[in-house]
Amino acid sequence: MAFRLHFTRDDLLRVSLAPGPDPLHETVISLRTLQRRRPGAAFGPWQRWARTRIPRSVHQLRSLVPPEKFCPDFLIPPNTGDLDTGLDELLYTPKSFLRRDLETFARFGDGPFPAWARSLADGSPRALETVGRAVRDWHRTAIAPVQRHLYTRAEAARSAAARTLLDEGLDAMLSRLHPSIRWTPPVLELARPDLNEDFPLDGRGLRLMPSLFCGNAPVVSLNPLHTSPPVLAFPVAHDTVWTPEPGLGTPAAPGTLAALLGRTRATVLQAITTGYGITTTDLARHTGISPATVSHHTSALREAHLIITHRTGPHAHHLPTALGTQLVNGAPSPSQ
């Protein structure tokens, strides 16, 4: 059983690497891991930790994301880049697509169609807002605390793929993405016990995205509403998903950090540490200051080696350095 992606010459010219994991994708797909009976050694500690923290709003959402088989496409719009953008796309899913997507879920999903989702299939704005709120609650509860680990592992996988591409070419990169993925030109075969299908890319290309929570099975978002490339989330190699330990890294007192950096700059650094990979626009939204002022403070934080910034198209994504994280968390440096 496998899902096979068929490439043309134009598709090969349009293969690209995403700058990192998609927060909305990781948030939704992690609900599969949460519900699996045997999540494996890598995810066991995270599952036990997360199961003690499930918000009430998330219980309904879990019925749309079964541990195996089909998950509705509208929950994971591809190429969103950040959580807010992804949730905006989710909330404005066209009614015709929503109904078709949930009808497919009812036919191929794992278990009966949940009664509460009938209004969702009708395109109810209130039902969509309920889903969006549940996704945001779950991200804040179970993904944001492990976000630094998530980005670190994903960046390592992306860098390895990029080095292979530069040193040996596209053929070698596609051949080594993951043991569950086999490249036999012009077909990329994904080992999936629940699928046996062929999908022609038809010149749209393919976006490759590292993913921690897809586990050992690659996930494809076919992007039927857009002309942009489908997205293949390929598994990231890791030993154990990091989970917070009680008492580890107690945040520094706000007054202490503000006295050192200034109140506004301390707020910006704290927001970057919490929202690992946050954009300048989102920083402005979360801190209540203008984008120009945010840019001024992020420039100062970069010069102090407290953050780094990656640019993806028009968006600047800010990440804390080890020093910046230690400063916010009040943790001693390794040399102390």
Side-chain angles (χ1 to χ4, degrees):
M1 301 284 281
F3 189 79
R4 293 168 291 275
L5 297 169
H6 293 257
F7 287 71
T8 65
R9 177 180 175 277
D10 288 340
D11 292 314
L12 292 171
L13 294 174
R14 292 182 173 91
V15 173
S16 61
L17 275 170
D22 185 295
L24 179 57
H25 177 277
E26 295 300 292
T27 300
V28 171
I29 213 71
S30 71
L31 287 168
R32 289 185 184 274
T33 303
L34 180 76
Q35 300 178 79
R36 286 182 175 137
R37 290 186 179 181
R38 296 181 179 86
F43 291 100
W46 176 86
Q47 187 195 69
R48 290 190 292 273
W49 170 79
R51 281 182 170 178
T52 66
R53 303 164 55 84
I54 305 172
R56 181 175 299 179
S57 62
V58 175
H59 290 297
Q60 286 186 331
L61 181 61
R62 289 193 299 173
S63 61
L64 289 180
V65 189
E68 309 293 342
K69 297 187 179 180
F70 185 81
C71 171
D73 288 335
F74 87 94
L75 287 173
I76 315 175
N79 296 326
T80 56
D82 62 82
L83 186 67
D84 288 334
T85 301
L87 286 175
D88 284 345
E89 280 205 39
L90 186 156
L91 291 174
Y92 291 100
T93 304
K95 289 184 180 180
S96 58
F97 176 77
L98 197 58
R99 175 171 290 278
R100 193 164 60 248
D101 194 22
L102 289 170
E103 285 175 352
T104 303
F105 175 75
R107 285 200 309 272
F108 300 107
D110 189 7
F113 187 74
W116 72 268
R118 288 170 187 159
S119 59
L120 187 62
D122 292 333
S124 163
R126 179 174 293 181
L128 281 166
E129 288 170 4
T130 298
V131 170
R133 185 164 54 251
V135 171
R136 191 177 292 281
D137 288 346
W138 182 239
H139 180 271
R140 183 181 62 251
T141 301
I143 303 302
V146 303
Q147 202 156 258
R148 185 163 66 252
H149 172 88
L150 169 66
Y151 273 84
T152 301
R153 290 293 187 272
E155 178 60 29
R158 183 187 185 278
S159 297
R163 282 196 303 272
T164 302
L165 176 64
L166 291 173
D167 294 344
E168 302 178 55
L170 180 62
D171 190 72
M173 185 189 73
L174 293 176
S175 298
R176 299 177 193 170
L177 280 176
H178 190 263
S180 64
I181 300 173
R182 186 172 67 177
W183 172 238
T184 309
V187 178
L188 194 67
E189 186 174 291
L190 317 177
R192 291 290 301 267
D194 56 329
L195 292 172
N196 187 28
E197 296 184 30
D198 293 87
F199 183 81
L201 292 172
D202 289 336
R204 289 199 295 163
L206 187 66
R207 184 84 155 162
L208 302 171
M209 181 180 73
S211 171
L212 189 70
F213 281 101
C214 72
N216 290 318
V219 176
V220 180
S221 299
L222 298 178
N223 206 0
L225 293 178
H226 307 279
T227 56
S228 54
V231 176
L232 168 60
F234 63 93
V236 168
H238 55 92
D239 296 323
T240 303
V241 178
W242 178 88
T243 52
E245 296 176 18
L248 181 63
T250 304
T256 305
L257 195 60
L260 182 63
L261 300 177
R263 183 177 299 276
T264 302
R265 195 162 295 167
T267 300
V268 170
L269 179 58
Q270 286 173 320
I272 291 172
T273 303
T274 302
Y276 207 78
I278 192 170
T279 65
T280 299
T281 302
D282 285 337
L283 267 176
R285 184 184 299 122
H286 288 303
T287 58
I289 57 181
S290 71
T293 303
V294 167
S295 296
H296 167 73
H297 287 299
T298 54
S299 177
L301 292 170
R302 272 195 307 276
E303 290 177 4
H305 305 292
L306 298 177
I307 69 168
I308 58 174
T309 300
H310 292 310
R311 185 165 292 278
T312 308
H315 301 293
H317 296 267
H318 306 287
L319 303 93
T321 63
L323 179 60
T325 301
Q326 290 164 1
L327 187 61
V328 169
N329 288 342
S333 67
S335 60
Q336 288 182 304

